[in-house]
């Protein structure tokens, strides 16, 4: 029976305690802690004791942490930007270990919205990839000391470029590129996470992305998106058009050892956050994922 987890991002408007209460009420005992929603600021480790206590009081555990995102990325295009991001991500890795989670999701290449408006994104691709490599090298010792894997995520930014009328593939969006990127790094500290909604939004088959990630896959974000016009919707499973049987077949084929983490954030039909968590749990139960 796989371990199930629910992202606290689904209750981002609430403080962490009430968010955990609602997640527990839906039947989940494990969570992914969303830093941007529930551990604000540049020093996440300062919140570690409080977070751990809130989990323990509810007999819950954090399986993964979604590290600080937005401008906190590995592949910043200036050294000033990178030098500001790395200490925040390093502190979040330490917090992840302190609360007992074993993986931290990190965004690699920055969202196009954060790039200089006067530059063609393609002129920055090599800079971003090089910065991402150096950042991972800087963070591997931190992850090793914390006992945590960095989980590099496939992101949906090719769609964002297309929406802006720009051509070309953004670097390190697909698992084929990410797998090649992580291979030189130690697997105990650097691994991959497949967000199935990001994959379809970006024009890739989620099951194929899972198979490409293979034995470096240590995390999942399970969310549904529209089949014909996917926009990283983060709907509850079965509310969109993903081929869920093929996704679970692929996870079984690669002997995926990690947690099935549902990152359900938005309603499709005006459901409340509480209703989305209950819907997700009910679907997981029909799939035989709940005991």
């Amino acid at each position: 029976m796989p371990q199930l987890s629910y992202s606290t991002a689904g209750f981002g408007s609430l403080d962490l305690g009430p968010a955990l209460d609602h997640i527990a009420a839906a039947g989940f005992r494990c969570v992914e802690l969303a830093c941007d929603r529930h551990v604000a600021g540049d020093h996440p480790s300062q919140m570690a004791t409080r977070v751990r206590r809130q989990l323990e009081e509810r007999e819950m555990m954090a399986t993964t942490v979604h590290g600080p995102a937005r401008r906190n990325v590995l592949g910043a295009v200036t050294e000033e930007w990178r030098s500001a991001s790395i200490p925040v991500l390093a502190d979040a890795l330490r917090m992840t270990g302190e609360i007992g989670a074993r993986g931290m999701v990190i965004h690699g290449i920055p969202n196009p919205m954060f790039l200089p408006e006067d530059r063609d994104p393609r002129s920055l691709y090599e800079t971003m990839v090089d910065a991402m490599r150096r950042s991972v090298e800087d963070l591997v010792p931190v992850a090793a000391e914390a006992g945590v894997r960095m989980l590099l995520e496939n992101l949906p930014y090719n769609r964002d470029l297309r929406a802006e009328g720009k051509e070309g593939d953004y670097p390190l969006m697909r698992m084929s590129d990410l797998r090649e990127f992580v291979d030189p790094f130690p697997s105990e500290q650097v691994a991959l996470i497949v967000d199935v909604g990001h994959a379809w939004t970006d024009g890739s088959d989620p099951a194929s992305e899972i198979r490409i990630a293979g034995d470096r896959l240590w995390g999942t974000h399970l969310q549904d998106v529209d089949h014909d016009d996917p926009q990283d919707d983060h709907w509850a499973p079965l509310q969109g058009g993903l081929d869920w049987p093929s996704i679970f077949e692929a996870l079984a084929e690669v002997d995926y050892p990690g947690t099935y983490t549902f990152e359900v954030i938005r309603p499709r039909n005006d459901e409340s956050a509480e209703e989305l968590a209950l819907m997700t749990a009910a679907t997981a139960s029909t799939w035989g994922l709940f005991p």
Side-chain angles (χ1 to χ4, degrees), residues 5-176:
S5 179
Y6 197 86
S7 172
T8 67
F11 292 90
S13 64
L14 301 179
D15 290 340
L16 179 59
L20 294 176
D21 289 336
H22 285 298
I23 293 170
F28 294 93
R29 308 312 305 173
C30 299
V31 298
E32 177 171 278
L33 178 69
C35 278
D36 285 346
R37 309 297 179 105
H38 291 113
V39 189
D42 292 341
H43 302 284
S45 66
Q46 295 178 353
M47 300 286 288
T49 299
R50 176 174 172 267
V51 170
R52 187 173 61 247
R53 183 176 64 249
Q54 289 185 298
L55 289 165
E56 290 173 348
E57 288 173 350
R58 294 164 176 83
E59 298 183 340
M60 301 178 76
M61 65 178 292
T63 51
T64 50
V65 169
H66 196 307
R70 296 186 63 77
R71 289 185 62 87
N72 291 301
V73 295
L74 300 168
V77 298
T78 67
E79 192 58 28
E80 180 182 13
W81 180 359
R82 197 180 80 87
S83 296
S85 296
I86 297 309
V88 178
L89 294 172
D91 199 63
L93 283 168
R94 288 187 281 269
M95 182 208 68
T96 299
E98 289 172 17
I99 68 172
R102 286 293 161 264
M104 189 177 97
V105 182
I106 299 184
H107 286 183
I109 302 300
N111 190 312
M113 67 183 291
F114 294 119
L115 297 182
E117 294 183 0
D118 60 346
R119 295 287 299 274
D120 183 336
R122 288 170 291 187
S123 71
L124 298 169
Y125 287 0
E126 185 175 346
T127 299
M128 289 189 286
V129 173
D130 178 66
M132 185 164 160
R133 184 175 292 107
R134 289 185 290 119
S135 296
V136 172
E137 290 171 351
D138 290 343
L139 290 171
V140 161
V142 181
E145 184 176 356
V148 171
R149 277 185 174 88
M150 292 181 277
L151 306 179
L152 306 189
E153 184 173 17
N154 61 315
L155 297 167
Y157 298 155
N158 282 330
R159 181 192 176 278
D160 295 333
L161 286 177
R162 291 193 298 270
E164 295 175 10
K166 298 173 181 175
E167 298 179 358
D169 266 359
Y170 215 44
L172 297 177
M173 294 294 102
R174 293 183 170 85
M175 273 297 144
S176 55

Side-chain angles (χ1 to χ4, degrees), residues 1 91 109 115 139 207 221 242 263 265 283:
M1 186 71 65
D91 199 63
I109 302 300
L115 297 182
L139 290 171
H221 279 163
L242 291 187
E263 194 181 40
I265 300 174
T283 298

Side-chain angles (χ1 to χ4, degrees), residues 252-290:
E253 284 183 20
V254 300
D255 293 323
Y256 172 62
T259 303
Y260 288 29
T261 299
F262 292 95
E263 194 181 40
V264 177
I265 300 174
R266 302 187 186 99
R268 182 166 192 180
N269 298 296
D270 296 322
E271 298 93 348
S272 67
E274 294 84 353
E275 288 171 330
L276 291 176
L278 290 167
M279 288 168 57
T280 300
T283 298
S285 182
T286 64
W287 285 338
L289 300 179
F290 266 127

